[in-house]
Amino acid sequence: MFTPKIPPPDTAPTPGTSLVPPLTGLVHPPACTCHHTPTAPAPVPAAPPARPAVQFTPGSLVVAAAGGTAAVLIIGTVLISMLLAIAITAASVAVCAVVLRSLLNNQKGH
């Protein structure tokens, strides 16, 4: 069942032949029919002047550190408040489910 099926020897191609006939006699026309001489390549544009390196002063380093700290604190506060909102919603849904279940069970008993 899992053995490969080998074609009989009379239909199998010989190792030296190809199943695809070779393409012969194809001639591509030139891209254009105008007769012009090639021109010299365009000159390479000069490299733009190098930018001066950015230098931080002690004051700018303090401002950058304070800005990064503020961004981390604000993003953390937003994420924590979103997590807290989801937790409060889940807890209130669970309480509602317990109350509804007890109300429905009490109705069946009466």
Side-chain angles (χ1 to χ4, degrees):
M1 180 173 145
F2 294 111
T3 58
K5 306 292 188 249
I6 300 174
D10 58 331
T11 60
T14 59
T17 60
S18 173
L19 297 176
V20 179
L23 299 173
T24 57
L26 293 177
V27 178
H28 296 287
C32 67
T33 57
C34 57
H35 301 287
H36 55 69
T37 58
T39 59
V44 178
R51 294 182 183 176
V54 177
Q55 295 178 353
F56 288 109
T57 61
S60 64
L61 285 176
V62 169
V63 169
T69 304
V72 166
L73 290 176
I74 290 171
I75 291 172
T77 303
V78 168
L79 292 177
I80 292 295
S81 61
M82 288 171 52
L83 182 65
L84 194 61
I86 291 171
I88 291 171
T89 303
S92 64
V93 167
V95 168
C96 289
V98 168
V99 168
L100 283 175
R101 182 177 175 191
S102 67
L103 287 175
L104 292 175
N105 282 340
N106 284 339
Q107 263 186 343
K108 289 180 186 175
H110 291 292

